[in-house]
Amino acid sequence: MAEDIGIYLSMYDKMSPTLKTISNNTKAFDKNLQDLEKQCKAYENRQSSLVGEMAELKKSLVESKQRVSEATKAWEKNKDALAQNNLKSAIQEQETLNQKIKDTESLLRQGRSAITGYADDLRKTKNADISGLTKGLVTAGIGNMISGSLGGAASAYLSSAIGEPTARMVSSVLSSAISGAAMGYALGPAGMAIGGALGAASGLLSGGTQIFAAEDDALKTYVQEQVQAGKEQRATELTSGSTIAGGRESTRMAFNKLLGGAETAGEYLKEVQRLAVDTNYTYDEITGYTKKLLNSFQSGTVLDILEELSDATAGLSLNSADVDMFVAGLNRMTTTGKATREYLNYFDDRGLDTSAALSAYLGKDKSAISGLVTGGKVSGQQAVEAIREYIRTQYGGLSVDLASTYDAMVDNLGDTMDNINAALGDAYNQSSKKGIGEDLEAYGGALGEAMEAMNGIIGEGKGIAQNLDRQYEREAMSALVLGEQTTVYGAKEAADLQDMHEKYTSLVEQYQTATDEDKAVLAAQIEGLKSTAVSMAESAYNASDVAVGIKDVGLDLIEAIRDNTAALGIDAYGKAYQEEQEQSKGIAAAENNQFARATGLADAAGVDYMAYRQVANAGLIAGDPHLLSLGSSHAFGLDRVPRDNFPALLHEGERVLTASQARTADQGFGSVLVDKLADTLVIREESDIEKIAAALARKLQRSSGLAVPV
């Protein structure tokens, strides 16, 4: 803050010559107006552009949602890799569009805030001191003019130096202080000092309010964005999880058959999930390789082979197509029992030296391997074992190193999140099957047939309405260009179209012999006639009984929905309303809740801390010291509780009097509380009086802490 004040004082010194040349303020005032108007116009143009971009983005989002829906249906129908990839791409596109929409909305909010600020500055600048000048308050008017000039300069300079809205608060203090000093000029130096102080206080309050409003808007925007982002994230997780779980359910059914039972398949697929997270493979890649390898290897061996191939992938920089070829080579040599040069080339062509592998495994010289292979002296099983042993020796453990790279960690994190989302999707899918089954049963029977008939009627009606719309435009064009009679237009419209045809014919004739310059004008006039005819067709259709009837149906629908919802009561729409209201709350609501939790006060008790805080701000004027200490400690007492529901912090050992007890104390009867001895005192003998007095004395002593002789 000291730096801000230093900037303010420096700026004030720089502006001091202005005080000596008041005549220049008018020019500065006009220029300030022009600059503000230009800045406001620039933001308005940017806003218009952003609105257009937002409209296009939302249109694209609607199309993207349709593509996600279609891709989901295709995936549910085909369950193949292409459909899955298409669905993932569609979901990614939708997420990208959602992010762009959020970014654009943020820019729009910033633009609105900027326009509001400029418009406010523009209004203040235009109104600054005009009323004082027109009323002839020369001295005050000059002060206001100076304050307006300095305030505008301060706002511009400080905005660049320390940013908004702090700059606006400092400039508000400056301009208000000068205005206040000018108003107190007639009372002499003392009046100017008092006026300047009050003006500065007013400017500080106004600037503080602006800062609070900016912070409040920031909090509201943040909460709204977080709520919306949370909803979108949950929806994406459910869609993605449902898709993954649906694919894995089909895979699980296939593996139940391949491995001979659900329990065995379940245990194997758990290992597949682990392997997907620990290696460069995806879940679907592992299950795909497994289906191929199970033709030649036992399930326990398959996972070992895949881990070995993962090491080879890290050492040889293989891709999924390369791994497919390795799997094919291992399968064919195991199935045929032969190690041919063709099969070995599956590995050699991708960087794995099969001659070195067989040399080490068979204990033969590397130069002899080729002859042994072509001579059929190497079996397929020997070649497979040699290759696996070579991979373990040369590349063993490299997949662990690969897993620590950035790209691999990102992929493995994706596999981990897929597993997490699949749990969500699987639970959702299993639960949804009941409703889907009931839908299939209902729509596959009488209900479906009846709805088909209903939709047939609706579709035919929409087509008829569109045909009528086309007919209006078609006949308008025919009347304009060909001069043909119409069947759907009334007498007045038909006559107008005939006049337009005659004008069109005349323009066409003129066009044939006109110069190039005249042709441009004549073409524009012809285009105007065309646009007029199209507009007439649209208006005529909208006024037709068909279009009016369709609009009436829409209005009836709105009314029916409103009446039905209202009849159901607040429960039908109350939560949506409540959510909107909660998102509209800001800093004040948060502080209110924090105070209530800290003091044990609940909103239901009628305590509104923020309302009291607003009253406390007014305490400066009201002169009520109690209003300035709301929520603070009263360890040294409080003369009087000023109102109902007054918040206070109490401490152990303190005592609170009732209103009646306080009045009794105020009337001079003391303030010591004594518990009653009994509802009824019975005196049976003279000694009872002394006993009662002694008991009363002991009560007084305990209540007051004083030594009372007995």
Side-chain angles (χ1 to χ4, degrees), residues 328-399:
L330 295 174
N331 265 339
R332 292 183 183 183
M333 288 189 290
T334 301
T335 302
T336 63
K338 299 178 181 179
T340 66
R341 175 48 55 192
E342 176 189 0
Y343 297 156
L344 293 176
N345 283 342
Y346 289 174
F347 301 89
D348 288 325
D349 291 346
R350 288 158 182 83
L352 194 148
D353 190 347
T354 57
S355 295
L358 287 169
S359 173
Y361 184 79
L362 297 174
K364 302 289 184 180
D365 189 82
K366 186 177 179 180
S367 61
I369 297 301
S370 179
L372 293 174
V373 171
T374 56
K377 302 298 184 180
V378 179
S379 69
Q381 183 62 37
Q382 287 177 316
V384 168
E385 291 300 324
I387 290 171
R388 292 183 61 191
E389 179 63 31
Y390 185 78
I391 290 174
R392 289 193 292 267
T393 302
Q394 297 295 320
Y395 309 114
L398 287 184
S399 59

Side-chain angles (χ1 to χ4, degrees), residues 96-178:
T96 301
L97 286 170
N98 278 325
Q99 184 59 47
K100 287 183 178 179
I101 287 175
K102 287 197 295 183
D103 293 342
T104 305
E105 286 176 342
S106 179
L107 289 174
L108 281 169
R109 281 191 295 271
Q110 294 173 12
R112 284 195 295 270
S113 178
I115 289 173
T116 300
Y118 281 125
D120 187 48
D121 289 342
L122 186 61
R123 176 185 59 77
K124 290 179 179 178
T125 304
K126 285 182 176 180
N127 292 338
D129 317 310
I130 293 177
S131 61
L133 289 171
T134 56
K135 292 178 181 178
L137 300 178
V138 178
T139 303
I142 291 174
N144 286 337
M145 187 179 296
I146 295 170
S147 70
S149 299
L150 288 176
S155 180
Y157 182 78
L158 291 175
S159 177
S160 175
I162 61 177
E164 293 287 354
T166 305
R168 197 176 302 170
M169 183 187 72
V170 176
S171 65
S172 175
V173 172
L174 172 63
S175 59
S176 297
I178 295 175

Side-chain angles (χ1 to χ4, degrees), residues 246-256 269 283-284 287 291:
R248 292 186 179 183
E249 184 179 23
S250 300
T251 300
R252 186 165 57 248
M253 293 177 64
F255 272 71
N256 289 346
L269 292 176
Y283 181 94
D284 291 336
T287 55
K291 291 176 184 178

Side-chain angles (χ1 to χ4, degrees), residues 17-31 145 149:
T18 306
L19 298 173
K20 302 175 183 178
T21 56
I22 299 301
S23 60
N24 293 331
N25 278 291
T26 301
K27 295 179 181 179
F29 179 78
D30 292 338
K31 186 178 183 302
M145 187 179 296
S149 299

Side-chain angles (χ1 to χ4, degrees), residues 408-429:
M409 291 177 70
V410 171
D411 289 340
N412 291 342
L413 177 60
D415 292 326
T416 300
M417 297 309 299
D418 281 349
N419 292 337
I420 293 172
N421 289 338
L424 169 68
D426 186 54
Y428 170 78
N429 291 352

